[in-house]
Structure formats: C-alpha cells, structure tokens
Amino acid sequence: MCGIVGAVAQRDVVEILLEGLRRLEYRGYDSAGVVVLDQERRLQRVRCLGKVKILADAVAREPLQGGTGIAHTRWATHGQPSERNAHPHISNDRIAVVHNGIIENYAKLRAQLQAQGFVFTSETDTEVIAHLVEYELRRSDNLLQAVQKSVAQLHGAYGMVILDKDEPERLVLARSGSPMVIGLGIGENFVASDPLALLPVTRRFIYLEEGDVAEITRREVRIYDTDGQPVTREIHESSASYDAGDKGPFRHFMLKEIFEQPQAVANTLEGRLSESSVLDETFGNGAADMLRKIEHVQIIACGTSYHSGLVARYWMEEIAGISCNVEIASEFRYRKSVVRPNSLLVTISQSGETADTLAALRLGKTLGYVTSLAICNVAGSSLVRESDLAFMTRAGTEIGVASTKAFTTQLVGLAMLVLALAKNRGLDTEQQKELVKALKGLPGLLEDTLKLAPVIETLAEDFSEKQHALFLGRGEEYPIAMEGALKLKEISYIHAEAYAAGELKHGPLALIDSEMPIIVVAPNNDLLEKLTSNIEEVRARGGMLYVFADENAHFEPSPDLKVINLPHCHEWLTPIIYTIPLQLLSYYVAVIRGTDVDQPRNLAKSVTVE
Ligand code: F6R
C-alpha cells in the first residue's frame, strides 16, 4: 500500500526522503509528496500526480531544504489519484501528516471537524487525521499528547507520521494495523513503513507494535503502548543488502527476481536439511515437538501466496498423509470455521503485512489451533512477530509487484514442512532421502529451466494481440496454472483464467476458438494421459495450444500445438519448475505490450488494507 518515510536530522533530509520513496514505490505509485520544515519554520510541500520520478523532478525545479520532513507515495483508497489527494496533508499551516491504511470512521469525523470550522481540501480519509490532531493540539500540552488523543478516536488501520511546525525537531508516529519502523542513526533518526527505505542511512531498526505511539527527535526515541505507558522495543540489526533496490543489468526488477530464483532457493534450503530429513530447528525452537502432535493443517494466504498453499495441499495429503485445507484469508476471517483437533495454522505471505492474512492469523489464534506457523519473506514483519513459529523464505527483497521468487521459495518452505510432518507420520527413510535429494538438486534444475528464456521471449509474440488466455493443469499443476493466469493478467492486462483440465467440458470448452490461446502445464506424471485427452478436446475445437512438457514425454508439435520442453525433474518438484516458464511468458508478453511491468496499474506490492 502507501509508502512512508520521515527524518529528523541536522543535515538536509530531502534527498534521503526521495531515495526512501524510490525504494518504497513498490507499495504504491499513483501520486507522491514531501514536506520539510525550512529554516524559517515554514512547512514547504511539493506533491504531484504520478511516480516519485515526477516528484523528484518537481523538487529539482523548486528546491526544498530542511532537517525535518516526511514523505509519501500513495496507493489510492479514498479519493482518486490527484495532486490534491496526494499526501502529506496539512492542517492550518501547522500539522503535516502522511498515512498508510484506511480510517473507517472518517466520514463522521470529517463532519464533526467541518462543524468546528475546518476546511477540507481533499477527498481523502487522511486529511481527517491532520485536522483532528490540530484540533486536539489546542487542548494538549504537546504533539505527542494530541496524537494519543486523536488515535483513540480513529477506527481502521493506520501507520502514520505527524510533523508539527511548532516542534521542529520532532516527529510523532503511530501504528495500528499498518507497519511502522524507526531507523536509528547517529545524531539523527528516521521512520518508514519498510526498513528497505532506510537502508542507505541505517541498519538498526525498531519495529512498532500494534497500538504503539512514538516520538523521535535527533537524539531520542520514545515509545508508548496502547495505554500510554513508556515501553522498550527490541533493536534489530538488518542484514538486508543495501543494493536490494537496484535492478543491476536487468531491464526490470521482475526479470531480475525471476533469475534470482536458483540462489533464492539455495538460500532457503541452506542449513535446513540433513541427508535424509529436515533439521528439527528449521521451523523454530520447539517446533519439532509441536509438529509431532499435528493431524490436520489449515493454510491461509492471499493471491500468489494462496497458490503456493494450494500446491502444498496435494503434497501434504499425498506425502504426509495429513488432511489439509487451504483458504483465502479475506474469506476465512469473515466466516465461522470449525477447527479439527490437533490442527496447525499456517499463514503464507511474502510481505508479512497483508492485512487480510494478519487478521486471519489473529482470528485463528483465538480458535484453538495447536500452534501457528508463518511462512514469510520479511523478518520482523507483523506476521512473523505474531505467529508462534516462523519459517523465513530468504528470497531477498522482492520489489516487482508480481511475486516470483517469493512464490518458489514459499513452495520450498512448504515442501520442507511436508517432509517434517511426513517424517513424524512414518514416511520411510528411503523415500525421505529421495525427496531431500530432489530438493537439494532444485537450484541447478532452476538454472537449466531459466535457459528457456529466449525461447519463451519468441513465443510471447503470439500473445501480444490476444485479449484472453486459458491455462490448464491437473493435480498440483492446477494451482500452477492459476498462478500462471494471475501473472499474465496482472502485468500484461490480458484476461486469463485457469481451469483444472478435467473441468473443461463442464463449461469453459464453449470459449475455445482459434483466437483463444490455451497454455497447458503438462509434466510427465501419472495424470499425463488424462491431460492428453483434455488437450485433444481443445484441439478438436480449433484452439491454439501451448504445451509446457517434460522433455521425456515426447509431445509431437503441430501447427495447432506448440511444445516447450522442460528439463526432466522429480515428479514432486514439477510445480516449482513449471512455474518458471509461466513467469517468463507473462514477463515477455507484458514487455511486448509495453505495460509497466514492475508497477502494474491499480496494484501495490504490500496490501496493508482490507
Ligand atoms: C501477485 C501478488 C499478490 C500477493 C498477495 C499476497 O503477483 O504478488 O497476489 O501474492 O497480495 O501478498 P503477500 O504474499 O505479501 O501476503
């Protein structure tokens, strides 16, 4: 969602704020803005419609300078993207606010504040915060107190930073439902919605907890909990790479991240496998004892992460013999569910800040699961901190909005979870060894699969004028077809649907004609024969087929059937391997169609609102 950066320093902070926004742009990119307090203690603001680059150009034209400032990149919730709706919002030339989240009772507050004479200049919910703080400041001793009084009146989700021109070397921040982190400098301090924004200036971070309000000055950080009591929060040293925000030689972050997958998977496996099993400490201290009790698994996630959960269900039931449900977080959180005895709750999330997944975890923790496990890519994220157990995917920072390396590393994490559970349920040692060996060979296999990139780049030309596409798979390849369809629609804006191939004849066959490309995920497994019959059904109706197949399956190409051969791999790993060409296909189609690959329209990387 929106990205926030703030700084209090002796030096000029404008470039720090702009660089922070560039690094946060993956969160939202419809408009951006910055406010600094200049030497005459005036709030100097520049805002614009569009990306951070446009903001930086505007700042270059009308230079700003100041040691205290806040900045924001927006993903619109209330009010369309426009300069007027861009943050920071200012009240009475005194209070400036940046906010990530949604204020649900903003309409009521707005009416109350209007009745007090406040004039609103935007359609946003955020402007309510600016005026409310200004209003409360009139009856408070200082900004901190005014913010504490204000947040008590807000319903919804927020991560926010507030600047008062009368307290020039201070920022007050608050968190409820949306992440906020403080970056500790030497004689200067910073805040952001993601530590990535602050890596150029610090590696020492404090994560605010739910309900915390904090104030930072150049030399001090003070944090207060929901009851207004001073609290100490742990300092984390980040090992994230400073360069995580650079594309290197790649044209887009998405392509870079696709090619990083062999390394990301190797990192995710490292130190977690013996010759024949998953090491006990892989899922955290005490996890092995917990896992021994498990008889059922409930997986919850959103989007691409949900697809990895769907694959895991096939593995879980086949290999570990454990029943497994998978559900979209936004559905789970609003329905009454029945928890089976000895159930494990697994949440999956790249960011660890997805609002629906977090809410589902919080609900799940009240329902009687034995324990909760987060499979996540961001250490220190809310999901990791609030779960009993965590498995970090070590994919490295993922910047492209379309998730790639996070997905394949989630699958690796889930595969290890399946192995750990299967071991408890008596999977024989030879089979365990075979699966461990297959996992260890994965990085090399991914390297080989990536060599298909030029072939797929050429193939992508067939799709450039298409309006629709159908993806087919069976068994654990069905979720991979779903993931392929999601990738294609989100970055190329081609309407794409996935079907379990056996379901075609129950309706979707009606869509098939020569204009409909059909992408088939067809590894050499025991469902191949059935899948081949489905392919023939499509062929008989004039569809153009693109079959991603095992090199050993010897599919015969023909004018209406293109075959893309993939390296042969262990049956268990096919969902991971067959994901790669589908990622590449959507990438190259998007490039040909000229879309904004890393920041597709209407989307944001981290969905911290409902
Ligand atoms: C699609 C994509 C999204 C995310 C979803 C969940 O490419 O990235 O569907 O997978 O928003 O996000 P996380 O995994 O951060 O919870």
Short mmCIF file of all heavy atoms in Angstrom, two decimals, residues 426-478:
data_model
loop_
_atom_site.label_atom_id
_atom_site.label_comp_id
_atom_site.label_asym_id
_atom_site.label_seq_id
_atom_site.Cartn_x
_atom_site.Cartn_y
_atom_site.Cartn_z
N GLY A 426 5.80 -41.41 9.75
CA GLY A 426 6.36 -42.70 9.36
C GLY A 426 6.74 -42.85 7.89
O GLY A 426 6.83 -43.98 7.39
N LEU A 427 6.95 -41.73 7.17
CA LEU A 427 7.43 -41.87 5.78
C LEU A 427 8.77 -42.60 5.83
O LEU A 427 9.65 -42.24 6.62
CB LEU A 427 7.60 -40.49 5.14
CG LEU A 427 8.02 -40.50 3.67
CD1 LEU A 427 6.89 -41.00 2.77
CD2 LEU A 427 8.45 -39.10 3.23
N ASP A 428 8.94 -43.64 4.98
CA ASP A 428 10.16 -44.44 5.18
C ASP A 428 11.41 -43.69 4.76
O ASP A 428 11.37 -42.76 3.94
CB ASP A 428 10.03 -45.83 4.55
CG ASP A 428 10.20 -45.82 3.06
OD1 ASP A 428 11.26 -45.40 2.59
OD2 ASP A 428 9.23 -46.21 2.36
N THR A 429 12.52 -44.07 5.38
CA THR A 429 13.76 -43.31 5.26
C THR A 429 14.21 -43.18 3.81
O THR A 429 14.70 -42.13 3.40
CB THR A 429 14.86 -43.98 6.09
OG1 THR A 429 14.28 -44.41 7.31
CG2 THR A 429 16.01 -43.06 6.37
N GLU A 430 14.02 -44.24 3.03
CA GLU A 430 14.47 -44.18 1.63
C GLU A 430 13.71 -43.09 0.87
O GLU A 430 14.29 -42.33 0.10
CB GLU A 430 14.28 -45.55 0.94
CG GLU A 430 15.38 -46.55 1.26
CD GLU A 430 16.79 -45.93 1.25
OE1 GLU A 430 17.17 -45.37 0.21
OE2 GLU A 430 17.47 -45.97 2.30
N GLN A 431 12.40 -43.04 1.12
CA GLN A 431 11.59 -42.02 0.44
C GLN A 431 11.99 -40.62 0.90
O GLN A 431 12.08 -39.70 0.10
CB GLN A 431 10.12 -42.25 0.75
CG GLN A 431 9.42 -42.97 -0.39
CD GLN A 431 7.94 -43.11 -0.06
OE1 GLN A 431 7.60 -43.72 0.95
NE2 GLN A 431 7.10 -42.55 -0.90
N GLN A 432 12.25 -40.50 2.20
CA GLN A 432 12.69 -39.20 2.72
C GLN A 432 13.98 -38.77 2.04
O GLN A 432 14.12 -37.63 1.61
CB GLN A 432 12.93 -39.29 4.23
CG GLN A 432 11.67 -39.32 5.05
CD GLN A 432 12.00 -39.23 6.54
OE1 GLN A 432 12.75 -38.37 6.96
NE2 GLN A 432 11.45 -40.15 7.31
N LYS A 433 14.91 -39.73 1.94
CA LYS A 433 16.21 -39.42 1.31
C LYS A 433 16.02 -38.97 -0.13
O LYS A 433 16.65 -38.02 -0.60
CB LYS A 433 17.08 -40.69 1.31
CG LYS A 433 17.91 -40.84 2.56
CD LYS A 433 18.94 -41.92 2.31
CE LYS A 433 19.69 -42.19 3.59
NZ LYS A 433 20.36 -43.47 3.61
N GLU A 434 15.12 -39.67 -0.81
CA GLU A 434 14.88 -39.34 -2.23
C GLU A 434 14.34 -37.91 -2.36
O GLU A 434 14.78 -37.14 -3.21
CB GLU A 434 13.86 -40.36 -2.77
CG GLU A 434 13.52 -40.14 -4.23
CD GLU A 434 12.31 -40.97 -4.65
OE1 GLU A 434 12.16 -42.12 -4.18
OE2 GLU A 434 11.51 -40.44 -5.45
N LEU A 435 13.42 -37.55 -1.47
CA LEU A 435 12.82 -36.21 -1.54
C LEU A 435 13.84 -35.13 -1.16
O LEU A 435 13.89 -34.06 -1.78
CB LEU A 435 11.58 -36.14 -0.65
CG LEU A 435 10.43 -37.07 -1.06
CD1 LEU A 435 9.26 -36.97 -0.09
CD2 LEU A 435 9.95 -36.77 -2.48
N VAL A 436 14.65 -35.42 -0.15
CA VAL A 436 15.68 -34.46 0.26
C VAL A 436 16.66 -34.24 -0.90
O VAL A 436 17.03 -33.11 -1.22
CB VAL A 436 16.41 -34.96 1.53
CG1 VAL A 436 17.69 -34.16 1.76
CG2 VAL A 436 15.51 -34.86 2.74
N LYS A 437 17.03 -35.34 -1.54
CA LYS A 437 17.97 -35.25 -2.67
C LYS A 437 17.36 -34.40 -3.79
O LYS A 437 18.03 -33.54 -4.38
CB LYS A 437 18.29 -36.66 -3.17
CG LYS A 437 19.39 -36.70 -4.17
CD LYS A 437 19.88 -38.12 -4.38
CE LYS A 437 20.69 -38.14 -5.66
NZ LYS A 437 20.38 -39.23 -6.54
N ALA A 438 16.08 -34.64 -4.04
CA ALA A 438 15.42 -33.87 -5.10
C ALA A 438 15.44 -32.38 -4.74
O ALA A 438 15.75 -31.54 -5.59
CB ALA A 438 13.98 -34.36 -5.25
N LEU A 439 15.14 -32.06 -3.49
CA LEU A 439 15.14 -30.64 -3.08
C LEU A 439 16.52 -30.01 -3.25
O LEU A 439 16.65 -28.89 -3.73
CB LEU A 439 14.72 -30.51 -1.62
CG LEU A 439 13.23 -30.46 -1.31
CD1 LEU A 439 12.99 -30.39 0.19
CD2 LEU A 439 12.59 -29.25 -1.98
N LYS A 440 17.54 -30.79 -2.88
CA LYS A 440 18.91 -30.24 -2.98
C LYS A 440 19.31 -29.97 -4.43
O LYS A 440 20.17 -29.13 -4.69
CB LYS A 440 19.90 -31.19 -2.30
CG LYS A 440 19.79 -31.14 -0.78
CD LYS A 440 20.82 -32.04 -0.13
CE LYS A 440 20.80 -31.87 1.39
NZ LYS A 440 21.59 -32.89 2.08
N GLY A 441 18.71 -30.72 -5.34
CA GLY A 441 19.05 -30.53 -6.76
C GLY A 441 18.28 -29.38 -7.41
O GLY A 441 18.49 -29.06 -8.59
N LEU A 442 17.38 -28.80 -6.65
CA LEU A 442 16.48 -27.79 -7.21
C LEU A 442 17.20 -26.56 -7.80
O LEU A 442 16.87 -26.14 -8.92
CB LEU A 442 15.49 -27.39 -6.11
CG LEU A 442 14.19 -26.74 -6.50
CD1 LEU A 442 13.51 -27.43 -7.66
CD2 LEU A 442 13.27 -26.70 -5.29
N PRO A 443 18.17 -25.96 -7.10
CA PRO A 443 18.79 -24.76 -7.68
C PRO A 443 19.38 -25.02 -9.08
O PRO A 443 19.18 -24.21 -9.99
CB PRO A 443 19.89 -24.40 -6.66
CG PRO A 443 19.36 -24.94 -5.36
CD PRO A 443 18.65 -26.22 -5.72
N GLY A 444 20.03 -26.17 -9.26
CA GLY A 444 20.62 -26.49 -10.56
C GLY A 444 19.54 -26.64 -11.62
O GLY A 444 19.68 -26.18 -12.77
N LEU A 445 18.46 -27.29 -11.24
CA LEU A 445 17.36 -27.51 -12.16
C LEU A 445 16.71 -26.18 -12.57
O LEU A 445 16.32 -25.99 -13.73
CB LEU A 445 16.34 -28.38 -11.42
CG LEU A 445 15.48 -29.34 -12.21
CD1 LEU A 445 16.28 -30.16 -13.19
CD2 LEU A 445 14.77 -30.28 -11.21
N LEU A 446 16.64 -25.27 -11.62
CA LEU A 446 16.08 -23.95 -11.92
C LEU A 446 16.98 -23.21 -12.91
O LEU A 446 16.49 -22.57 -13.85
CB LEU A 446 15.92 -23.13 -10.64
CG LEU A 446 14.77 -23.57 -9.72
CD1 LEU A 446 14.90 -22.96 -8.33
CD2 LEU A 446 13.41 -23.19 -10.32
N GLU A 447 18.31 -23.34 -12.71
CA GLU A 447 19.26 -22.71 -13.66
C GLU A 447 18.98 -23.24 -15.06
O GLU A 447 18.90 -22.47 -16.02
CB GLU A 447 20.71 -23.08 -13.30
CG GLU A 447 21.25 -22.50 -12.02
CD GLU A 447 21.68 -21.04 -12.16
OE1 GLU A 447 21.47 -20.46 -13.23
OE2 GLU A 447 22.19 -20.50 -11.15
N ASP A 448 18.84 -24.56 -15.18
CA ASP A 448 18.61 -25.15 -16.51
C ASP A 448 17.29 -24.65 -17.10
O ASP A 448 17.21 -24.37 -18.30
CB ASP A 448 18.54 -26.68 -16.40
CG ASP A 448 19.91 -27.26 -16.08
OD1 ASP A 448 20.91 -26.53 -16.22
OD2 ASP A 448 19.97 -28.44 -15.67
N THR A 449 16.29 -24.53 -16.27
CA THR A 449 14.97 -24.12 -16.77
C THR A 449 15.01 -22.67 -17.26
O THR A 449 14.38 -22.32 -18.25
CB THR A 449 13.91 -24.29 -15.66
OG1 THR A 449 14.07 -25.59 -15.09
CG2 THR A 449 12.51 -24.16 -16.20
N LEU A 450 15.79 -21.84 -16.57
CA LEU A 450 15.87 -20.43 -16.97
C LEU A 450 16.51 -20.26 -18.35
O LEU A 450 16.34 -19.22 -18.99
CB LEU A 450 16.66 -19.64 -15.91
CG LEU A 450 15.87 -19.34 -14.65
CD1 LEU A 450 16.80 -18.90 -13.51
CD2 LEU A 450 14.81 -18.27 -14.91
N LYS A 451 17.23 -21.29 -18.81
CA LYS A 451 17.83 -21.20 -20.15
C LYS A 451 16.77 -21.13 -21.24
O LYS A 451 17.06 -20.85 -22.40
CB LYS A 451 18.76 -22.40 -20.38
CG LYS A 451 19.99 -22.35 -19.49
CD LYS A 451 20.96 -23.47 -19.81
CE LYS A 451 22.07 -23.48 -18.76
NZ LYS A 451 22.45 -24.82 -18.33
N LEU A 452 15.52 -21.42 -20.86
CA LEU A 452 14.43 -21.34 -21.84
C LEU A 452 14.02 -19.91 -22.17
O LEU A 452 13.19 -19.69 -23.05
CB LEU A 452 13.19 -22.05 -21.28
CG LEU A 452 13.17 -23.57 -21.32
CD1 LEU A 452 11.96 -24.09 -20.55
CD2 LEU A 452 13.11 -24.04 -22.75
N ALA A 453 14.59 -18.94 -21.44
CA ALA A 453 14.12 -17.55 -21.59
C ALA A 453 14.04 -17.09 -23.06
O ALA A 453 13.00 -16.55 -23.47
CB ALA A 453 14.99 -16.61 -20.75
N PRO A 454 15.10 -17.31 -23.89
CA PRO A 454 14.99 -16.81 -25.27
C PRO A 454 13.85 -17.48 -26.05
O PRO A 454 13.17 -16.82 -26.85
CB PRO A 454 16.35 -17.19 -25.89
CG PRO A 454 17.25 -17.49 -24.75
CD PRO A 454 16.41 -17.92 -23.61
N VAL A 455 13.63 -18.77 -25.79
CA VAL A 455 12.54 -19.48 -26.49
C VAL A 455 11.20 -18.85 -26.10
O VAL A 455 10.33 -18.61 -26.94
CB VAL A 455 12.54 -20.98 -26.06
CG1 VAL A 455 11.35 -21.73 -26.63
CG2 VAL A 455 13.86 -21.63 -26.42
N ILE A 456 11.06 -18.56 -24.82
CA ILE A 456 9.78 -18.03 -24.35
C ILE A 456 9.59 -16.58 -24.80
O ILE A 456 8.49 -16.15 -25.10
CB ILE A 456 9.68 -18.22 -22.83
CG1 ILE A 456 9.59 -19.72 -22.57
CG2 ILE A 456 8.47 -17.51 -22.25
CD1 ILE A 456 9.71 -20.15 -21.18
N GLU A 457 10.69 -15.87 -24.91
CA GLU A 457 10.60 -14.48 -25.41
C GLU A 457 10.00 -14.49 -26.83
O GLU A 457 9.15 -13.67 -27.16
CB GLU A 457 12.00 -13.86 -25.42
CG GLU A 457 11.97 -12.40 -25.71
CD GLU A 457 13.34 -11.73 -25.54
OE1 GLU A 457 14.33 -12.45 -25.23
OE2 GLU A 457 13.40 -10.52 -25.72
N THR A 458 10.43 -15.44 -27.65
CA THR A 458 9.90 -15.54 -29.01
C THR A 458 8.42 -15.95 -28.98
O THR A 458 7.58 -15.37 -29.66
CB THR A 458 10.71 -16.58 -29.82
OG1 THR A 458 12.08 -16.27 -29.67
CG2 THR A 458 10.32 -16.61 -31.28
N LEU A 459 8.13 -16.93 -28.13
CA LEU A 459 6.76 -17.42 -28.01
C LEU A 459 5.79 -16.31 -27.60
O LEU A 459 4.63 -16.26 -28.04
CB LEU A 459 6.76 -18.51 -26.93
CG LEU A 459 5.52 -19.35 -26.75
CD1 LEU A 459 5.46 -20.36 -27.88
CD2 LEU A 459 5.57 -20.09 -25.41
N ALA A 460 6.30 -15.38 -26.77
CA ALA A 460 5.45 -14.32 -26.21
C ALA A 460 4.83 -13.48 -27.33
O ALA A 460 3.74 -12.90 -27.14
CB ALA A 460 6.28 -13.44 -25.28
N GLU A 461 5.48 -13.42 -28.49
CA GLU A 461 4.94 -12.60 -29.58
C GLU A 461 3.55 -13.08 -29.99
O GLU A 461 2.70 -12.29 -30.40
CB GLU A 461 5.90 -12.61 -30.77
CG GLU A 461 7.06 -11.68 -30.51
CD GLU A 461 8.27 -11.97 -31.38
OE1 GLU A 461 8.09 -12.59 -32.45
OE2 GLU A 461 9.39 -11.58 -30.96
N ASP A 462 3.30 -14.39 -29.87
CA ASP A 462 1.97 -14.93 -30.25
C ASP A 462 0.86 -14.32 -29.40
O ASP A 462 -0.30 -14.36 -29.77
CB ASP A 462 1.92 -16.45 -30.01
CG ASP A 462 2.73 -17.23 -31.03
OD1 ASP A 462 3.55 -16.60 -31.73
OD2 ASP A 462 2.53 -18.45 -31.12
N PHE A 463 1.21 -13.81 -28.20
CA PHE A 463 0.19 -13.38 -27.25
C PHE A 463 -0.03 -11.88 -27.26
O PHE A 463 -0.96 -11.39 -26.62
CB PHE A 463 0.61 -13.78 -25.82
CG PHE A 463 0.58 -15.27 -25.58
CD1 PHE A 463 1.57 -16.09 -26.08
CD2 PHE A 463 -0.45 -15.84 -24.87
CE1 PHE A 463 1.54 -17.45 -25.87
CE2 PHE A 463 -0.50 -17.21 -24.65
CZ PHE A 463 0.50 -18.02 -25.15
N SER A 464 0.80 -11.17 -28.02
CA SER A 464 0.80 -9.71 -27.85
C SER A 464 -0.55 -9.07 -28.20
O SER A 464 -0.92 -8.06 -27.63
CB SER A 464 1.93 -9.08 -28.65
OG SER A 464 1.72 -9.38 -29.99
N GLU A 465 -1.28 -9.67 -29.14
CA GLU A 465 -2.56 -9.07 -29.55
C GLU A 465 -3.76 -9.76 -28.91
O GLU A 465 -4.90 -9.44 -29.22
CB GLU A 465 -2.72 -9.18 -31.08
CG GLU A 465 -1.59 -8.54 -31.89
CD GLU A 465 -1.60 -7.03 -31.76
OE1 GLU A 465 -2.69 -6.46 -31.66
OE2 GLU A 465 -0.50 -6.43 -31.71
N LYS A 466 -3.51 -10.72 -28.07
CA LYS A 466 -4.64 -11.51 -27.52
C LYS A 466 -5.37 -10.74 -26.42
O LYS A 466 -4.78 -9.93 -25.71
CB LYS A 466 -4.13 -12.84 -26.93
CG LYS A 466 -3.47 -13.74 -27.95
CD LYS A 466 -4.48 -14.27 -28.94
CE LYS A 466 -3.79 -15.16 -29.96
NZ LYS A 466 -4.57 -15.39 -31.17
N GLN A 467 -6.66 -11.04 -26.31
CA GLN A 467 -7.46 -10.42 -25.23
C GLN A 467 -7.69 -11.39 -24.08
O GLN A 467 -8.02 -10.97 -22.98
CB GLN A 467 -8.83 -9.98 -25.78
CG GLN A 467 -8.75 -8.94 -26.88
CD GLN A 467 -8.00 -7.71 -26.42
OE1 GLN A 467 -8.15 -7.25 -25.28
NE2 GLN A 467 -7.12 -7.20 -27.27
N HIS A 468 -7.59 -12.69 -24.40
CA HIS A 468 -7.91 -13.70 -23.39
C HIS A 468 -6.91 -14.85 -23.48
O HIS A 468 -6.30 -15.07 -24.53
CB HIS A 468 -9.30 -14.30 -23.64
CG HIS A 468 -10.37 -13.27 -23.72
ND1 HIS A 468 -10.96 -12.73 -22.62
CD2 HIS A 468 -10.94 -12.68 -24.79
CE1 HIS A 468 -11.86 -11.84 -23.00
NE2 HIS A 468 -11.86 -11.78 -24.31
N ALA A 469 -6.77 -15.59 -22.40
CA ALA A 469 -5.95 -16.82 -22.43
C ALA A 469 -6.49 -17.78 -21.37
O ALA A 469 -7.04 -17.35 -20.34
CB ALA A 469 -4.48 -16.49 -22.15
N LEU A 470 -6.32 -19.05 -21.66
CA LEU A 470 -6.78 -20.09 -20.73
C LEU A 470 -5.58 -20.93 -20.31
O LEU A 470 -4.76 -21.32 -21.14
CB LEU A 470 -7.77 -20.97 -21.51
CG LEU A 470 -8.90 -21.65 -20.76
CD1 LEU A 470 -9.71 -20.67 -19.94
CD2 LEU A 470 -9.81 -22.36 -21.77
N PHE A 471 -5.47 -21.18 -19.03
CA PHE A 471 -4.38 -22.01 -18.50
C PHE A 471 -4.98 -23.30 -17.95
O PHE A 471 -5.97 -23.24 -17.20
CB PHE A 471 -3.64 -21.28 -17.36
CG PHE A 471 -2.76 -20.16 -17.82
CD1 PHE A 471 -3.29 -18.99 -18.32
CD2 PHE A 471 -1.37 -20.27 -17.72
CE1 PHE A 471 -2.46 -17.95 -18.72
CE2 PHE A 471 -0.54 -19.24 -18.13
CZ PHE A 471 -1.09 -18.07 -18.64
N LEU A 472 -4.38 -24.43 -18.31
CA LEU A 472 -4.89 -25.71 -17.84
C LEU A 472 -3.82 -26.49 -17.08
O LEU A 472 -2.64 -26.48 -17.46
CB LEU A 472 -5.33 -26.59 -19.03
CG LEU A 472 -6.41 -26.02 -19.95
CD1 LEU A 472 -6.72 -27.04 -21.05
CD2 LEU A 472 -7.68 -25.70 -19.16
N GLY A 473 -4.25 -27.20 -16.06
CA GLY A 473 -3.35 -28.11 -15.33
C GLY A 473 -4.19 -29.13 -14.60
O GLY A 473 -5.42 -28.97 -14.48
N ARG A 474 -3.56 -30.18 -14.15
CA ARG A 474 -4.26 -31.16 -13.31
C ARG A 474 -3.42 -31.42 -12.08
O ARG A 474 -2.21 -31.25 -12.10
CB ARG A 474 -4.46 -32.48 -14.06
CG ARG A 474 -5.37 -32.39 -15.23
CD ARG A 474 -5.75 -33.78 -15.73
NE ARG A 474 -6.83 -34.34 -14.93
CZ ARG A 474 -7.98 -34.80 -15.44
NH1 ARG A 474 -8.20 -34.74 -16.73
NH2 ARG A 474 -8.89 -35.30 -14.65
N GLY A 475 -4.08 -31.89 -11.00
CA GLY A 475 -3.33 -32.20 -9.79
C GLY A 475 -2.60 -30.96 -9.29
O GLY A 475 -3.09 -29.83 -9.41
N GLU A 476 -1.38 -31.14 -8.78
CA GLU A 476 -0.66 -30.00 -8.20
C GLU A 476 -0.24 -28.99 -9.26
O GLU A 476 0.26 -27.90 -8.92
CB GLU A 476 0.54 -30.46 -7.35
CG GLU A 476 1.60 -31.26 -8.06
CD GLU A 476 1.32 -32.76 -8.01
OE1 GLU A 476 0.16 -33.14 -8.31
OE2 GLU A 476 2.23 -33.54 -7.72
N GLU A 477 -0.47 -29.32 -10.52
CA GLU A 477 -0.19 -28.33 -11.58
C GLU A 477 -1.39 -27.39 -11.80
O GLU A 477 -1.27 -26.38 -12.48
CB GLU A 477 0.15 -29.03 -12.89
CG GLU A 477 1.61 -29.07 -13.21
CD GLU A 477 2.46 -29.71 -12.11
OE1 GLU A 477 2.25 -30.89 -11.77
OE2 GLU A 477 3.33 -29.02 -11.58
N TYR A 478 -2.53 -27.75 -11.24
CA TYR A 478 -3.69 -26.85 -11.38
C TYR A 478 -3.40 -25.50 -10.68
O TYR A 478 -3.57 -24.44 -11.29
CB TYR A 478 -4.95 -27.56 -10.86
CG TYR A 478 -6.16 -26.68 -10.74
CD1 TYR A 478 -6.46 -25.71 -11.71
CD2 TYR A 478 -7.03 -26.80 -9.65
CE1 TYR A 478 -7.57 -24.90 -11.58
CE2 TYR A 478 -8.14 -25.99 -9.52
CZ TYR A 478 -8.39 -25.04 -10.48
OH TYR A 478 -9.49 -24.23 -10.35
#
